[in-house]
């Protein structure tokens, strides 16, 4: 029974990482103004998560159509498929091990599933090489593409294939106490 509980928790945690990453509870910050843009894309790739307490990886497919999204994860510790779906006002996580968990926002879903709070919706902008808020600090490369975004306690390093305008790899880092960090590596194989 203990193994099933740990496996279910790992499944929920990895599923929510596609939208954010493992984060210890931090005091919520004032929300800076959001940058308004249309959000439509489809991604496939692999995501890896490393925290002081655990690590893991999964393959993902992510379809985003403005506020609506569908994310499918496979390969989470050999558990099988996990699906996260969202539309305005409702986000659902479903897997054979956890059943269905529902919340109003991706951030609330993460908090319900794991007890952590993180800027989940920012990843939608970060995979498109954009900051999510006007308060972000952005460093650009010689081709004027964002190569580092610092925002809401996260540092995002973006890598590109040759002259591509959109990144093929993102490394999200959150500094923790005692020199530790949460790290999410997101590889985008297909757009």
């Amino acid at each position: 029974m203990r193994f099933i509980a740990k496996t279910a928790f790992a499944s929920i945690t990895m599923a929510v990482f596609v939208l954010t990453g493992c984060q210890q509870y931090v005091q919520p910050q004032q929300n800076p103004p959001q940058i308004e843009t249309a959000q439509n894309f489809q991604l496939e790739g692999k995501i890896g998560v490393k925290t002081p307490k655990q690590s893991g990886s999964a393959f993902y497919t992510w379809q985003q159509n403005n506020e609506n999204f569908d994310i499918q994860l496979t390969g989470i510790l050999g558990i099988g498929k996990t699906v996260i779906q969202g539309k305005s006002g409702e986000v659902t996580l479903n897997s054979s091990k956890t059943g269905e968990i529902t919340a109003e926002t991706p951030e609330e879903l993460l908090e319900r599933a794991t007890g952590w709070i993180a800027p989940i919706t920012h990843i939608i902008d970060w995979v498109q090489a954009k900051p999510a808020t006007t308060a972000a600090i952005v460093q650009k490369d010689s081709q004027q593409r964002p190569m580092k975004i610092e925002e809401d306690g996260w540092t995002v390093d973006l890598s590109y294939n040759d002259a591509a305008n959109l990144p093929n790899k993102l490394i999200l880092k959150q500094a923790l106490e005692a020199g530790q960090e949460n790290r999410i590596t997101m590889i985008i194989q297909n757009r």
Side-chain angles (χ1 to χ4, degrees), residues 10-117:
S11 175
I12 291 169
T13 303
M14 184 58 77
V16 178
F17 289 146
V18 166
L19 297 174
T20 184
C22 180
Q23 174 175 340
Q24 294 178 349
Y25 179 79
V26 293
Q27 200 65 277
Q29 301 176 9
Q30 295 281 343
N31 290 334
Q34 300 292 309
I35 298 172
E36 297 290 328
T37 57
Q39 311 290 356
N40 297 297
F41 56 81
Q42 184 168 343
L43 305 175
E44 293 179 1
K46 186 172 183 181
I47 186 165
V49 176
K50 185 174 181 187
T51 73
K53 295 183 179 180
Q54 67 184 38
S55 63
S57 63
F59 292 97
Y60 69 88
T61 59
W62 177 358
Q63 186 170 355
Q64 184 80 33
N65 186 0
N66 292 317
E67 292 182 9
N68 301 328
F69 62 86
D70 182 84
I71 298 169
Q72 296 187 20
L73 297 164
T74 55
I76 304 171
L77 304 175
I79 301 173
K81 185 174 172 180
T82 299
V83 177
I84 306 171
Q85 294 180 317
K87 59 185 179 183
S88 183
E90 182 179 75
V91 181
T92 304
L93 180 147
N94 199 345
S95 79
S96 61
K97 298 292 183 186
T98 64
E100 185 173 284
I101 301 172
T102 303
E104 289 185 20
T105 66
E107 289 81 5
E108 183 183 338
L109 180 67
L110 174 65
E111 186 173 12
R112 278 190 186 171
T114 67
W116 302 318
I117 296 174

Side-chain angles (χ1 to χ4, degrees), residues 41-44 127-129 166-168 170 188-191:
F41 56 81
Q42 184 168 343
L43 305 175
E44 293 179 1
V127 298
Q128 298 178 88
L166 295 174
N168 66 317
L170 292 88
I188 301 169
Q189 296 166 332
N190 294 309
R191 286 190 178 266

